[in-house]
Amino acid sequence: MYFGNQKFMVAGLSKSGESCARFLLERGAEVYVYDDVESDNIIAVSKELEKLGAHIVTADKYIDATLICDILVLSPGIPIDNPLPVAFRKQGKAIIGEEELGALFLRATAVAVTGTNGKTTTVSMLNSIFNACGIKSSACGNIGNPLVSEVDNLSYNDCAVIEISSFQLETLSSLRPHVAVITNVTEDHLNRHYNMENYIFLKAKILRNLRESEFAVLNYDDDIVRDFSRSTKGNTVFFSMNERMDGAYYENGSIFFNGERYLDVKDMVLSGRHNIYNALACVAVAHIMGLDKEKTASAICSFKGISHRIEIVKKVDGVTYIDDSKGTNVDATVKAVQTMNLPTILLLGGKDKGYDYHPLFTAIKDSKVVHAILYGENRFKLLNAAIKAGFVSFSLCAEFETAVHLAKFVSKPGQCVLLSPASSSFDNFANYEERGDAFKKLVEGFDEDVEE
């Protein structure tokens, strides 16, 4: 890609969009920046980029900019059927995303991870393993550290461990990872992708460029993911909790690869079935990459997890508050609920992503959840699903802050309050991190523990 005679329009000035604009400006490109959100942060970013040479595009002029610019760099938060990318497509112009831009200039070995759940934990765990084995690596992509920000920091002997969302896969075509991992595929983002067929198609895109010398690490226990092995040229390596196989598997409390024992699950800091799956995927990658077995096992066992994923915040008046704001879909929340060993008050709600919530409440009925607090934009849809499933121990309120205070009111010593919303945060927050931080701030403001 030659920057000197091409004009780029960067749409969306969140972390990834800002990184793209800086990357392009540093290379002498002419850059136009646009965001239809007028927050203080976006305005500040726009002004800073303008000082570096970018042209700011206003809402009434963005169509004119599509005629001027040659390439659209699209934020993952903007759907591919938004009028802006549609205007570029009608003119036969290129549309790429931040990860596509990064992939074009990446020198390091790529290990890419996608799936509905477990992406961030798997990427973070893999990064810890690489570091423990003496390999310079960076956890990047959808994890909050744009790939394009790391391409200059990583050389040929290094590794980029890249989290890739379905939104990013819409505009990603050039990445050829040495190892591509798919953790699972369950219903998610149907408000964006319309149906499961489209969502499954996007997840499978991560395998599209694999050659016979590369590897697809797939969850054998997920029927959809297992079938991806039929359509990839890469070498398939499965992982499973249910069956012993050629690959990574769980048996008698331990994780093995092709009969070689790596670790005992009881030695892991992280608990829960979902984290065993994450560890299995990491063992498969480590074996493919020829990493030291003992160092790999030690890194997995000592890994403490990620922020906002079943993270204990504080104990107040005998009640343990747990932040699982990253639980943005039904499957993630079910997995979080299944890890609860004490009676639990569950906070559910936010912006609907097109789910059927009936399976959620069916699972909740057989769990430690004793009460659910339904809040946010989708609270009435959650309410209807709860009643339909026969789960009647719930409260209803509109605002997130009210829901957290209500949870404090109804909880009793020896119980847990779990924020695992099964919904997007976009009704009131910029992202799940902001929602989780708001939860933590509210909990930190509660009275200190009362000695029993």
Side-chain angles (χ1 to χ4, degrees):
M1 182 180 292
Y2 179 63
F3 298 103
N5 64 355
Q6 291 184 315
K7 297 180 177 65
F8 295 80
M9 182 175 182
V10 177
L13 295 179
S14 60
K15 191 175 293 185
S16 64
E18 180 185 359
S19 296
C20 286
R22 290 180 181 278
F23 180 88
L24 293 167
L25 288 166
E26 287 170 0
R27 285 153 179 78
E30 189 170 354
V31 179
Y32 293 73
V33 296
Y34 169 73
D35 200 313
D36 58 2
V37 175
E38 295 185 356
S39 68
D40 291 342
N41 182 62
I42 295 299
I43 292 171
V45 169
S46 298
K47 289 181 177 179
E48 190 171 347
L49 293 173
E50 186 177 32
K51 291 178 182 177
L52 296 175
H55 307 284
I56 297 178
V57 178
T58 56
D60 59 331
K61 297 290 185 181
Y62 85 86
I63 290 297
D64 294 339
T66 67
L67 303 174
I68 298 171
C69 296
D70 305 296
I71 299 172
L72 174 64
V73 184
L74 190 66
S75 164
I78 301 175
I80 199 71
D81 57 358
N82 179 278
L84 180 58
V86 168
F88 269 82
R89 192 179 303 111
K90 284 182 177 179
Q91 298 176 59
K93 295 180 177 180
I95 302 172
I96 64 175
E98 175 270 318
E99 291 204 340
E100 174 68 7
L101 182 61
L104 291 170
F105 296 92
L106 181 66
R107 298 170 296 176
T109 298
V111 174
V113 180
T114 195
T116 305
N117 298 309
K119 297 186 295 296
T120 303
T121 300
T122 301
V123 164
S124 300
M125 190 181 287
L126 280 171
N127 192 53
S128 295
I129 293 169
F130 281 115
N131 290 333
C133 293
I135 297 174
K136 182 181 176 181
S137 67
S138 176
C140 52
N142 193 57
I143 199 169
N145 177 31
L147 172 62
V148 76
S149 298
E150 293 293 337
V151 294
D152 289 337
N153 300 328
L154 298 172
S155 191
Y156 298 102
N157 295 322
D158 304 329
C159 186
V161 189
I162 312 167
E163 179 181 333
I164 305 178
S165 70
S166 59
F167 293 0
Q168 291 165 323
L169 283 162
E170 287 180 336
T171 54
L172 182 63
S173 58
S174 298
L175 183 67
R176 178 177 290 118
H178 183 61
V179 184
V181 181
I182 304 183
T183 58
N184 49 57
V185 175
T186 59
E187 187 178 90
D188 200 9
H189 300 302
L190 299 191
N191 60 328
R192 167 90 168 236
H193 303 310
Y194 300 108
N195 55 54
M196 275 300 289
E197 287 76 13
N198 289 339
Y199 182 60
I200 291 168
F201 169 80
L202 287 169
K203 288 300 185 185
K205 275 186 69 179
I206 198 173
L207 307 175
R208 179 179 296 176
N209 294 336
L210 296 187
R211 294 173 177 167
E212 291 80 0
S213 57
E214 284 117 18
F215 297 85
V217 173
L218 305 178
N219 184 346
Y220 186 85
D221 300 338
D222 186 304
D223 292 342
I224 294 171
V225 177
R226 183 171 65 244
D227 284 347
F228 287 161
S229 64
R230 300 177 180 178
S231 56
T232 179
K233 293 181 180 179
N235 297 284
T236 298
V237 177
F238 286 116
F239 60 95
S240 172
M241 276 197 70
N242 300 332
E243 295 189 33
R244 185 173 186 174
M245 58 174 53
D246 291 337
Y249 61 90
Y250 170 83
E251 186 176 76
N252 297 327
S254 296
I255 289 178
F256 296 82
F257 191 95
N258 286 358
E260 187 175 6
R261 180 181 163 279
Y262 267 70
L263 59 99
D264 285 335
V265 167
K266 64 178 176 57
D267 294 331
M268 291 173 57
V269 172
L270 297 184
S271 61
R273 185 178 177 89
H274 61 293
N275 281 315
I276 299 176
Y277 273 111
N278 297 333
L280 284 164
C282 289
V283 164
V285 174
H287 185 88
I288 290 167
M289 299 292 290
L291 303 182
D292 181 91
K293 187 180 76 170
E294 300 301 327
K295 292 178 181 178
T296 295
S298 178
I300 291 173
C301 289
S302 61
F303 184 75
K304 295 180 180 179
I306 59 174
S307 186
H308 308 302
R309 186 59 175 140
I310 318 182
E311 179 187 8
I312 295 176
V313 177
K314 190 179 182 181
K315 192 172 185 179
V316 182
D317 294 339
V319 177
T320 303
Y321 291 82
I322 302 172
D323 173 15
D324 190 51
S325 182
K326 202 173 190 309
T328 61
N329 58 65
V330 168
D331 188 58
T333 296
V334 169
K335 285 181 170 63
V337 164
Q338 289 171 345
T339 68
M340 295 296 105
N341 297 317
L342 297 172
T344 298
I345 312 300
L346 178 62
L347 291 162
L348 291 170
K351 186 174 181 64
D352 182 46
K353 296 164 77 177
Y355 299 133
D356 174 8
Y357 294 109
H358 185 267
L360 171 62
F361 287 99
T362 300
I364 287 173
K365 284 175 63 178
D366 297 324
S367 73
K368 290 288 186 178
V369 174
V370 295
H371 191 83
I373 297 175
L374 316 178
Y375 71 91
E377 184 181 292
N378 63 346
R379 61 191 181 278
F380 293 110
K381 185 175 179 180
L382 288 163
L383 170 68
N384 291 333
I387 295 171
K388 182 179 178 182
F391 183 85
V392 295
S393 180
F394 57 79
S395 302
L396 192 71
C397 63
E399 300 300 325
F400 177 79
E401 184 173 346
T402 304
V404 178
H405 283 284
L406 183 57
K408 183 178 187 297
F409 178 77
V410 301
S411 59
K412 300 174 182 178
Q415 295 184 340
C416 295
V417 170
L418 172 66
L419 170 67
S420 189
S423 311
S424 164
S425 61
F426 295 146
D427 58 338
N428 280 310
F429 301 99
N431 47 52
Y432 74 83
E433 293 99 335
E434 185 178 292
R435 176 173 60 190
D437 289 341
F439 177 71
K440 290 178 180 179
K441 184 176 181 180
L442 288 167
V443 171
E444 290 293 340
F446 292 165
D447 294 336
E448 295 297 323
D449 291 5
V450 175
E451 295 295 333
E452 298 297 325

